Amino acid sequence: MAKKYGMIHDNNLCIGCQACSIACRSENEIPESVYRLQVWVKEEEYPNGTIGYEYHRQSCVQCENTPCVGVCPTKASHITEEGIVLVDVDLCVGCLYCVAACPYQARYVHPVTKAPDKCTFCHDTRLARGEEPACVTVCPTDALIFGDLNDPKSKINQALSSRVTYREKEKLGTNPKMFIVPNHKGGINS
Amino acid sequence: MTQMLSRRGFLKLSSTAAAVASLSSIPGTLGAMEESQKHYKGNAKFTPSICEMCTSSCTIEARVEDGKGVFIRGNPADKGRGGKVCARGGSGFNQLYDPQRLVHPIMRVGERGEGKWKVVSWDEAYTFIAKKLDEIKQKHGAHTVAFTARSGWNKTWFHNLAQAYGSPNLFGHEATCPLAYDLAMDDIFENGVSRDFAKAKYIINPSHNVFEGIVISYARQYMEALEHGAKVISLDPRLSTMAAKASEWHPIRPGHDLPFVLAFIHTLINENLYNKKFVEKYCEGFDELKASVAEYTPEKMALECDISADTIKRMAREFAKAAPKAIFDFCHRVTLTPQELELRRAIMMCNVLVGAVEQEGGYYLNKGAGFYNKFLGEGDAKAPVLKKPKIPAYPKVEFPRIDRIGEKDSEFFLAKKGNGIVTLIPKATLEDLPGVPYRLHGWFIARNNPVMTQTNTETVIKAIKAMDLVVVMDIQVSDTAWYADIVLPDTTYLERDEEFNAGGGKNPSYDVGRQKVVEPIGESRPGWRVAKELAEKMGLSAYFPYKDIEDYRLQQVGDNIDLLAKLKATGMASFGVPLLLQDKKSVAEFVKKYPSAASKVNEEGTIDFPHKIKLFSPELETVSKKGALSYEPYKYKEADELYFINGKSAVRTNGHNGNNLWLNNLCDDAAVWIHPKTAERLGIKNGDKIEVSNKYATQKGKALVTKGVREDTVFAYFGFGHISKELKRAYGKGVNSNTLYSPLVSPNSGMNLHVVGVKVKKA
C-alpha cells in the first residue's frame, strides 16, 4: 500500500520558538515576503482563571478532500498518491482560484514564479532524500510528529491512538492530515 | 510655513535622504564588494561545529548547499540536544552573507560616533594599533588599556596579547551574565554544578526562561520533566513561555527573589524538613546559616516578595518531600538584583539542605578530567587533560587591576582574573576608583558589545569617548564598533577553526570548538590570527608559540591523536561513564568500569564529597562581613513609578543577532508589556505609542496590553533599540532596556542591576 503522510502538532510541547518556520525558510528557499509555515502565539484566558499561550501552526493541513484541487481548472493543483497536495508550476495559469478556495489560508503567490505555493511536507527536498520535513527535524521540544498514516506501527499512529487530537475546521469535511494535540491547560486531558 | 511641505517637495526631500543614506553606507562591507570578488568556497559535507548565534554554544553541523547557501542543523551525534536547532541557530546563514557585514578593516575619519570611515589594509590597521598602544604605554602605562573578549570566542588569544603587552586588565562578558552564580558555586561547592532537570520531580524556577532564552538541552530536559508529570513552579513577574508551561505561575515582585528564598530556607530548617544526615556529614556552617535566616520568617518575607507565607511554606514542604529529585534552579539571569551573590548562594543552599546534590534529578558537580580523575585509583586509565602551548613569563605589572581581583581587601576578590568585572570599565575611565591609582585610557574589545549589553548606556558611551584608543573586532559595525577608532572584521563562526574545549557534566567531555564550513569572506580574519599577527607587529611573537590553529590544537592533544581525529569527525568525545557520587547505582557502575575506584567507596556504597559544602562563607565574611545570608531591602523605584524588567526572546538574543534578516523579520520590536488595569489608569491602549522614561533615559516604544505581567511592572525583551546606524535593520527599533537601567555595580559580584523604576505615558 502506498504511504499516506500526516503530521501532529502538539500544543503542549510547542514553545512558539519559530525554529520550524526558519528551518522551512532555509530548506525550501522561501522568499522574504511570504511564508509556508509560521507559529502564531496567542494569549489565552482559561476557564479556571489562569492564563497561558496557545500555539497555532499556520500552514497547509494537507486535506484529503481538497477544495484547492477541486477548483483548479488546469490540474496544476493536485494530490499525490502519498496524500501530499502540490502545485505544478508549469500547468498553473495564475487564476488564484485555489488561493480563494483554501479554507486554511495556507497558500501564497510566489513572487518569482507568480504561481501559488505552500507547504509540501518538504516533498521535493527532504522526502526525496528519505528524510523527515525540515520543521520536524529541528523542533527543540519534539512538538511535531510526522509519518505514514497507513502504517499501523508508525510513530504518528502510535501517538494518534494514545492522545486526544483534533483537526482544524473538521466540519467542512476537508479531512486534513494535520492533527493537533490540544493544550492540557485548556481543560482537555488526553 | 516652514512646517508645511508640498507632496512633491516631500518626495524630493525623501529621495535626497535615501541617496544620503546609501552614500553613508560604510565602505568595507560585504555589500560594497564587487560581485566578481564574492567567491564562496565551502564544504559540501556536514561539518560538526558549535553555534554562535547566542551564547548557549549548542552543537550543530553545517554544509554548503550547491554553492548557494548554508544549511545548519543540530549535530545528530549529540544525544543531549537531540540534533535540534532553534530559530536563531537556523538563521546563521544570514550572518555569513549579510551585505551589512564587515569584510575589510575600517578606520574612523570623523568624530567618534559620526559614522565616517575609510577602508585600510590589515597591515595599516596593525601598524596603527601597535603605534597607539605604544604611545599609551609610554604616556600612561600598559596597565591603562583594558582588553575585553568573549569567553570561548577570542579570550585565549586576546588575553594572551594583553598580558604580553603588559596589562593586567583582562575581562570577559561574565559580569553582565553568569558571574554571580559561577562565584556562588565556587564558594559553596568548590566546583561548578549543573542540574539534572529531566529526572526531577519538583522544580522551582525563578525566571529561568529556558523556552525563550533557549539552551536546547535545558529546553528538552524541562519538557521531559513536564511530560513525566514533574511539578514545575515558575516565579516570574511576567508570563514567560516557561511560566505558561509551568504547573504553577507566581508573579513574584521584581528584584525580590532573595526574600522568597530566605523564607524558604527558614521553613526547611524550622520545620525540620532538611536532610540532617547529609548536612552533618558533608556540610559546614549550618549553625551560622540557621542563625542568619532566623529573622526571615515566611510571614515577614511574604510582604517583600508578594507571595503568601502559606504558599512559601507549602512549596518548601513539597520540595523536601520530592527530594532528592528536587531542583531549585539557580537560573541564568533572573531580575539581576544588588544582592546577586546572596541570591544565588541561597538558592544553591536549598538543594544542599535537602541533600539533592549528586543524586538523579538534583544538582550534580561538573566533572572535568581533573575532578573525575580524583576518584580513580592506580591502574585505570585517566581522563585526558588538554594541554596549553608553553608561553614565556609575562612582564611583571606593578599596578593593581581596576577591580583589584586577587587582592585580599577587594570586594570582588572571588572573581577570576579571566572574568574581570567588565561593568567597572566605564567607572574606571571616568572617575577614580578606591585603591586604583590610575584611570583607563584604552579599550581593546573583541566580540563584545558593551554599549548594548552594559547598563546605563550613556555612561558607557561617555567612557568610550574619553579613551585614547578604542579597537573593536566584530563581524559587523556593532553599537560599540560605531564609536571605535578602528574596526577589525572578524570571521563568523562558520568560517573559522577554534581551539578544542574540555569540560564535564557527569563525566569528562571534549568538543572540537568550531570548524570551518566556508572559507573566510573578503578580508575577514579569525581571532587567533589577528592576535598573533598584531603581536608580531609589536615585537611580542615569542608569546605566540604556535604556527596556526592546527598547530595549537596539536599541542593541546599532545600524542592523543585518536582524540584529535574523533573531535574533528564527530565534534565531540567523552571519557568514562556518568558518575553521581551519592547514587549507589551510579557508583556501582563506575567501580565496575574502574576497579581501582573501589577504595573510594564508603560503607553506604556511595562516594564522599571531596570538599565540605559551605553553608557559610569564611572568605566572604573576611572581606565584606557577608559570610552568612542576609537581605537588605533596596529601593528600585519611586512610589509613582513602575518596575521595569527585561528578558530574552526566542528569536533574538543579546546584542549581536538583532540585525539578522530572518530573525529581524520575525521580531523587530521590543514592545512594552503593560497590565490592562495599569494601561487603563494611564489611558493607554494596545498598540499605542508610548514613552518610557526615568532619570537615566527616555525611550519611545509601543504598548502591548496583557495580563501576562504584574500590575506594578512593565516588561520588554532586551537586545532591541540598537544604537549603531550601520545595523540598518535593527537601528532604533524597540525599547532599549539598558539605557534605562542604573549604573549600579552589585557588591562582590560586579553584576549589573536589571530592575529599575520608570514612568510610562502615551507618546
Side-chain angles (χ1 to χ4, degrees):
Chain A
M1 190 168 28
K3 289 181 176 177
K4 188 166 87 174
Y5 287 120
M7 192 183 282
I8 302 178
H9 174 237
D10 191 329
N11 207 333
N12 293 290
L13 299 178
C14 181
I15 54 175
C17 72
Q18 313 294 340
C20 52
S21 159
I22 289 293
C24 173
R25 201 165 275 296
S26 186
E27 181 64 82
N28 300 301
E29 294 173 33
I30 311 291
E32 259 318 288
S33 51
V34 291
Y35 66 90
R36 281 185 181 183
L37 159 64
Q38 283 188 342
V39 173
W40 295 351
V41 187
K42 197 174 140 240
E43 188 184 317
E44 193 73 31
E45 199 164 347
Y46 299 122
N48 65 1
T50 60
I51 52 172
Y53 297 115
E54 292 290 327
Y55 304 93
H56 167 72
R57 179 189 160 105
Q58 174 62 25
S59 73
C60 173
V61 296
Q62 311 287 354
C63 305
E64 270 189 71
N65 300 321
T66 43
C68 55
V69 171
V71 296
C72 179
T74 63
K75 296 197 169 115
S77 271
H78 61 284
I79 185 161
T80 70
E81 210 186 10
E82 295 164 329
I84 299 171
V85 182
L86 298 176
V87 182
D88 186 333
V89 176
D90 293 335
L91 294 179
C92 178
V93 289
C95 69
L96 306 188
Y97 288 176
C98 59
V99 174
C102 173
Y104 301 93
Q105 284 92 44
R107 290 178 170 237
Y108 62 87
V109 179
H110 194 287
V112 178
T113 66
K114 306 294 181 200
D117 201 0
K118 55 179 272 302
C119 164
T120 63
F121 280 164
C122 291
H123 178 269
D124 298 343
T125 49
R126 294 274 169 157
L127 297 190
R129 293 198 295 257
E131 297 169 2
E132 294 190 311
C135 54
V136 179
T137 63
V138 297
C139 179
T141 50
D142 297 326
L144 297 170
I145 298 174
F146 177 78
D148 181 6
L149 293 166
N150 282 341
D151 174 5
K153 287 185 189 147
S154 66
K155 257 193 309 185
I156 188 166
N157 274 328
Q158 283 172 21
L160 286 174
S161 64
S162 62
R163 296 181 203 181
V164 170
T165 55
Y166 71 95
R167 292 175 291 174
E168 295 269 342
K169 301 184 181 175
E170 268 182 273
K171 64 177 180 199
L172 298 179
T174 50
N175 210 6
K177 291 189 290 295
M178 175 69 66
F179 300 85
I180 299 152
V181 179
N183 204 328
H184 292 171
K185 291 203 162 182
I188 303 162
N189 283 313
S190 60
Chain B
M1 299 285 283
T2 50
Q3 297 296 311
M4 298 283 282
L5 275 173
S6 69
R7 183 172 157 74
R8 181 166 293 275
F10 174 76
L11 287 175
K12 200 174 149 196
L13 198 77
S14 54
S15 67
T16 319
V20 170
S22 71
L23 275 177
S24 79
S25 203
I26 50 164
T29 54
L30 182 65
M33 259 170 88
E34 298 264 336
E35 277 306 313
S36 61
Q37 290 178 304
K38 293 180 194 168
H39 299 299
Y40 307 138
K41 281 186 226 154
N43 199 339
K45 281 192 302 192
F46 274 110
T47 304
S49 189
I50 294 178
C51 185
E52 196 186 51
M53 293 300 285
C54 79
T55 44
S56 301
S57 300
C58 294
T59 48
I60 51 160
E61 50 179 32
R63 74 173 172 210
V64 176
E65 296 211 320
D66 310 327
K68 286 187 297 185
V70 171
F71 191 81
I72 298 166
R73 66 181 190 193
N75 184 344
D78 182 347
K79 292 199 176 65
R81 294 186 178 91
K84 306 296 184 172
V85 72
C86 73
R88 297 167 309 199
S91 303
F93 164 77
N94 288 297
Q95 194 182 54
L96 188 60
Y97 298 122
D98 189 339
Q100 288 164 34
R101 180 189 161 188
L102 199 61
V103 290
H104 289 280
I106 52 167
M107 200 187 276
R108 173 172 68 86
V109 290
E111 291 300 307
R112 282 197 176 118
E114 205 184 355
K116 289 186 180 162
W117 307 92
K118 65 170 181 186
V119 170
V120 292
S121 70
W122 274 101
D123 193 60
E124 284 172 282
Y126 290 148
T127 306
F128 171 82
I129 298 167
K131 187 168 160 270
K132 280 279 185 186
L133 284 174
D134 195 49
E135 275 171 26
I136 296 177
K137 195 178 202 167
Q138 302 304 329
K139 212 164 145 192
H140 309 286
H143 57 282
T144 67
V145 180
F147 287 76
T148 305
R150 284 304 279 270
S151 24
W153 276 243
N154 279 318
K155 231 182 197 181
T156 307
W157 327 117
F158 291 104
H159 281 189
N160 185 16
L161 180 69
Q163 292 174 96
Y165 166 65
S167 175
N169 282 309
L170 322 173
F171 302 90
H173 87 295
E174 288 81 357
T176 57
C177 244
L179 189 57
Y181 63 77
D182 283 346
L183 298 181
M185 54 181 77
D186 279 353
D187 186 63
I188 296 176
F189 300 102
E190 292 187 37
N191 199 71
V193 281
S194 296
R195 299 141 295 192
D196 190 13
F197 297 123
K199 299 275 173 57
K201 282 190 194 156
Y202 199 88
I203 306 176
I204 301 183
N205 175 309
S207 319
H208 189 192
N209 185 16
V210 305
F211 295 140
E212 286 176 277
I214 300 176
V215 178
I216 299 267
S217 58
Y218 293 174
R220 291 177 69 75
Q221 284 199 52
Y222 253 103
M223 201 48 98
E224 200 180 322
L226 281 164
E227 282 277 280
H228 291 164
K231 194 162 178 179
V232 176
I233 310 285
S234 163
L235 309 174
D236 196 325
R238 66 127 190 165
L239 186 78
S240 64
T241 305
M242 170 55 71
K245 296 286 178 193
S247 324
E248 292 178 23
W249 172 46
H250 299 272
I252 194 166
R253 179 173 288 138
H256 291 76
D257 302 82
L258 181 57
F260 175 92
V261 189
L262 293 172
F264 193 91
I265 294 178
H266 183 280
T267 310
L268 289 178
I269 293 177
N270 284 51
E271 293 193 6
N272 278 314
L273 299 167
Y274 68 100
N275 184 333
K276 283 187 203 63
K277 208 172 132 196
F278 184 87
V279 170
E280 272 165 24
K281 191 167 180 191
Y282 295 120
C283 305
E284 58 188 26
F286 177 75
D287 292 336
E288 288 94 333
L289 172 66
K290 189 177 175 180
S292 73
V293 298
E295 62 175 299
Y296 304 122
T297 61
E299 287 72 20
K300 209 164 124 187
M301 294 294 99
L303 302 173
E304 296 288 312
C305 66
D306 202 18
I307 294 175
S308 80
D310 285 347
T311 307
I312 301 173
K313 286 191 261 190
R314 169 176 63 85
M315 286 180 195
R317 290 171 198 142
E318 289 173 350
F319 183 76
K321 202 174 163 202
K325 290 184 187 292
I327 294 173
F328 202 134
D329 191 345
F330 56 77
C331 299
H332 185 53
R333 291 177 75 105
V334 205
T335 47
L336 307 179
T337 77
Q339 284 187 278
E340 269 311 291
L341 196 52
E342 285 82 352
L343 172 61
R344 309 298 178 135
R345 286 172 65 220
I347 291 177
M348 288 174 195
M349 285 182 201
C350 295
N351 263 53
V352 174
L353 283 170
V354 297
V357 185
E358 280 295 300
Q359 297 256 32
E360 213 174 55
Y363 280 4
Y364 59 89
L365 303 177
N366 296 337
K367 297 174 192 75
F371 191 71
Y372 194 79
N373 288 343
K374 278 186 192 175
F375 306 105
L376 292 166
E378 294 297 319
D380 281 314
K382 300 276 194 294
V385 177
L386 293 182
K387 299 176 192 68
K388 277 182 182 165
K390 221 172 157 40
I391 289 167
Y394 294 118
K396 211 165 176 289
V397 186
E398 303 294 329
F399 295 89
R401 293 171 52 105
I402 59 156
D403 46 23
R404 300 176 57 228
I405 289 169
E407 290 182 58
K408 275 198 168 153
D409 60 342
S410 155
E411 65 165 316
F412 305 111
F413 82 108
L414 277 182
K416 293 189 187 91
K417 261 169 49 180
N419 302 149
I421 311 299
V422 68
T423 33
L424 281 180
I425 291 178
K427 267 181 184 285
T429 310
L430 301 169
E431 50 187 276
D432 297 328
L433 294 182
V436 182
Y438 61 91
R439 289 193 188 182
L440 291 175
H441 294 278
W443 201 353
F444 196 113
I445 305 167
R447 289 306 287 281
N448 190 244
N449 191 2
V451 168
M452 200 65 195
T453 58
Q454 287 192 22
T455 55
N456 202 231
T457 314
E458 201 186 316
T459 315
V460 182
I461 294 170
K462 211 169 140 194
I464 287 179
K465 285 187 171 172
M467 298 269 184
D468 294 350
L469 172 70
V470 179
V471 182
V472 170
M473 174 148 164
D474 211 317
I475 54 168
Q476 55 190 352
V477 183
S478 72
D479 311 277
T480 307
W482 180 249
Y483 294 98
D485 301 312
I486 190 153
V487 190
L488 309 175
D490 196 359
T491 44
T492 70
Y493 63 106
L494 297 165
E495 300 162 295
R496 66 173 184 266
D497 293 317
E498 284 186 351
E499 63 191 305
F500 293 145
N501 299 316
K506 291 171 190 162
N507 50 319
S509 62
Y510 308 85
D511 70 63
V512 70
R514 297 198 169 85
Q515 294 203 93
K516 203 192 279 184
V517 181
V518 272
E519 289 302 319
I521 292 169
E523 283 289 313
S524 62
R525 289 182 187 177
W528 66 262
R529 183 174 168 192
V530 173
K532 189 175 157 65
E533 288 172 346
L534 188 52
E536 276 159 16
K537 192 60 124 184
M538 293 160 71
L540 303 169
S541 46
Y543 295 93
F544 289 79
Y546 37 88
K547 215 166 77 224
D548 51 25
I549 186 69
E550 196 56 29
D551 182 29
Y552 187 94
R553 286 166 151 194
L554 275 166
Q555 295 191 46
Q556 279 190 295
V557 294
D559 50 10
N560 198 342
I561 301 300
D562 291 347
L563 180 63
L564 178 105
K566 182 151 196 224
L567 289 178
K568 285 188 158 190
T570 61
M572 65 198 78
S574 69
F575 177 86
V577 289
L579 171 63
L580 291 171
L581 300 175
Q582 293 292 297
D583 181 312
K584 282 181 207 165
K585 212 174 120 199
S586 165
V587 169
E589 292 286 321
F590 181 64
V591 175
K592 204 167 128 194
K593 172 107 182 164
Y594 302 107
S596 70
S599 62
K600 314 280 177 185
V601 181
N602 62 29
E603 65 278 11
E604 283 164 354
T606 62
I607 297 177
D608 291 348
F609 283 85
H611 309 287
K612 287 274 184 193
I613 300 173
K614 277 187 272 176
L615 299 173
F616 173 85
S617 171
E619 281 182 293
L620 274 170
E621 186 64 16
T622 314
V623 171
S624 53
K625 297 269 169 266
K626 284 184 178 170
L629 293 180
S630 60
Y631 171 56
E632 288 158 31
Y634 180 85
K635 194 178 175 187
Y636 292 100
K637 66 175 192 74
E638 299 300 326
D640 59 348
E641 288 182 325
L642 297 162
Y643 290 106
F644 178 87
I645 56 169
N646 70 11
K648 286 183 180 178
S649 140
V651 294
R652 280 189 40 182
T653 318
N654 308 344
H656 84 281
N657 60 22
N659 205 47
N660 183 291
L661 179 70
W662 288 347
L663 298 178
N664 191 278
N665 283 357
L666 279 174
C667 180
D668 71 344
D669 188 14
V672 177
W673 297 27
I674 183 163
H675 193 274
K677 283 187 188 162
T678 315
E680 198 187 350
R681 182 166 56 78
L682 298 171
I684 292 167
K685 288 194 185 65
N686 194 35
D688 274 357
K689 282 188 179 152
I690 54 164
E691 198 178 279
V692 185
S693 61
N694 62 12
K695 63 181 164 184
Y696 304 111
T698 296
Q699 286 282 308
K700 290 219 162 90
K702 207 170 70 188
L704 176 77
V705 178
T706 166
K707 282 186 180 169
V709 67
R710 285 171 60 95
E711 277 180 57
D712 60 1
T713 304
V714 289
F715 165 89
Y717 287 119
F718 73 77
F720 288 78
H722 277 275
I723 284 159
S724 165
K725 288 183 184 163
E726 290 303 332
L727 305 176
K728 293 185 189 301
R729 298 177 199 104
Y731 171 71
K733 285 187 196 161
V735 166
N736 182 329
S737 349
N738 277 338
T739 60
L740 296 160
Y741 286 132
S742 94
L744 184 125
V745 174
S746 298
N748 302 125
S749 71
M751 301 289 288
N752 284 154
L753 192 62
H754 275 197
V755 188
V756 77
V758 293
K759 282 187 180 160
V760 179
K761 66 172 189 186
K762 216 171 150 171

